[in-house]
Amino acid sequence: MRKVIIIDGTHVKGKFVGCLLTASAHDGNYQIFPIAFGVVDSENNQAWSWFFNKLLAVVPDAEDLVFILDRHTAIYSGILRVYPMAKHCACLLHLQRNVQTIFKKRHLLYLLRKAARAYKMEDFYRHFNEIKVVDIIACADYLIRVGLEHLARSLFEGARYNIMTSNLAESLNAALSEAREYPIVPLLEYVRSMMMGWFATRREAAARNVGALTPKVAEILSKNFTDSTGYAVKVIINEEYKVVDGNGMYYRVDLERKTCS
């Protein structure tokens, strides 16, 4: 799997109130792969530090590890303490909600989404400058305080791939909405039973799958192949190519280094 882990916390609603902390990732077919669950009294520094220390046993700290999270200060504190080598970035969905709440301008959400998802720095700064013009710099200043490198794919130091939000964690919370009203032991038993069903179904699907790619990746590859047939490609040398897209833009692609100008 891509080494991108989504961190989230949600309320336990029953008689024994508290928070359910989760760590999850995308599997090779873009499905939820739960990694860890923890039940704590609340989302505080001590609780998150405990959770990350437990997580460390199965997910070791590494420079190519990435965490996606909302801007909860206790989560940041726990990651910096337990995972000092890993990178962390903001969930675009939570950031959009904050921008909507503070600035009350829906068109900013579109510009923020375009800027954050841009693959090239020049595209990011073009959309970011549009935000400055639209909102007289106030929103831009807020995003700078958040840290542009934490929200923009093109400026992020690690590899977050196409995973820009913690939607996966939201889906996991939705799947557990009924169980979050149970006492702790029945809640965890519900989680165990649910995961057992998921993995049994996926093993059967994987056994039927033909080829090296998962169905979702094969679908994405097919779409990209269709899009790329309009590109002109010429060899420069060895594994380097000049690629011209449908708009006449030139790019230098190095397949060995996996880079594109």
Side-chain angles (χ1 to χ4, degrees):
M1 290 184 291
R2 289 154 292 183
K3 296 179 73 172
V4 180
I5 298 178
I6 293 94
I7 299 295
D8 194 40
T10 187
H11 293 292
V12 176
K13 305 174 184 177
K15 176 181 178 182
F16 305 99
V17 295
C19 284
L20 176 66
L21 310 184
T22 62
S24 51
H26 285 274
D27 70 7
N29 201 37
Y30 288 79
Q31 299 167 117
I32 302 171
F33 189 95
I35 299 173
F37 296 88
V39 180
V40 296
D41 55 349
S42 65
E43 290 193 69
N44 53 53
N45 289 348
Q46 183 180 5
W48 276 114
S49 293
W50 168 82
F51 182 77
F52 286 126
N53 273 298
K54 295 294 184 182
L55 184 64
L56 198 61
V58 290
V59 181
D61 191 18
E63 291 185 353
D64 60 346
L65 181 65
V66 174
F67 288 99
I68 295 182
L69 38 93
D70 61 29
R71 300 188 63 245
H72 198 293
T73 54
I75 303 179
Y76 274 114
S77 176
I79 285 181
L80 293 175
R81 186 180 299 111
V82 183
Y83 283 94
M85 295 171 60
K87 309 294 191 301
H88 57 85
C89 49
C91 165
L92 179 58
L93 188 63
H94 283 88
L95 202 56
Q96 286 180 302
R97 289 172 182 168
N98 291 344
V99 167
Q100 175 63 19
T101 300
I102 297 170
F103 300 102
K104 315 292 185 185
K105 296 180 179 179
R106 293 190 62 84
H107 54 273
L108 283 173
L109 305 186
Y110 171 77
L111 295 175
L112 174 57
R113 185 166 58 251
K114 295 286 285 185
R117 291 185 179 274
Y119 284 97
K120 296 187 293 182
M121 291 175 61
E122 60 188 90
D123 291 336
F124 167 77
Y125 282 113
R126 186 177 77 254
H127 296 304
F128 187 69
N129 287 333
E130 290 176 349
I131 292 175
K132 289 182 180 179
V133 171
V134 167
D135 201 60
I136 318 175
I137 307 183
C139 180
D141 286 344
Y142 169 77
L143 296 176
I144 290 172
R145 289 196 299 273
V146 170
L148 299 182
E149 70 279 9
H150 295 311
L151 67 95
R153 173 159 43 196
S154 60
L155 302 181
F156 185 59
E157 294 181 354
R160 67 187 293 174
Y161 301 95
N162 60 325
I163 307 173
M164 300 299 297
T165 72
S166 59
N167 281 354
L168 178 143
E170 301 285 348
S171 298
L172 183 58
N173 291 339
L176 295 171
S177 58
E178 175 189 343
R180 281 158 48 199
E181 299 185 6
Y182 297 171
I184 293 174
V185 173
L187 164 62
L188 296 179
E189 173 59 21
Y190 186 99
V191 169
R192 185 200 63 77
S193 179
M194 181 184 73
M195 290 175 61
M196 183 176 69
W198 283 3
F199 292 137
T201 301
R202 293 176 191 179
R203 276 193 296 270
E204 293 175 2
R208 294 193 303 268
N209 190 52
V210 178
L213 302 178
T214 65
K216 184 63 178 177
V217 172
E219 178 186 327
I220 294 171
L221 188 63
S222 177
K223 180 182 181 301
N224 288 345
F225 178 80
T226 302
D227 293 343
S228 69
T229 53
Y231 292 6
V233 180
K234 292 185 178 180
V235 178
I236 299 174
I237 185 173
N238 298 330
E239 294 297 308
E240 294 183 54
Y241 298 83
K242 181 183 79 171
V243 178
V244 185
D245 69 12
N247 298 319
M249 294 292 293
Y250 288 78
Y251 301 93
R252 178 175 162 180
V253 176
D254 189 324
L255 294 182
E256 184 177 354
R257 294 185 176 86
K258 298 181 180 179
T259 59
C260 176
S261 66

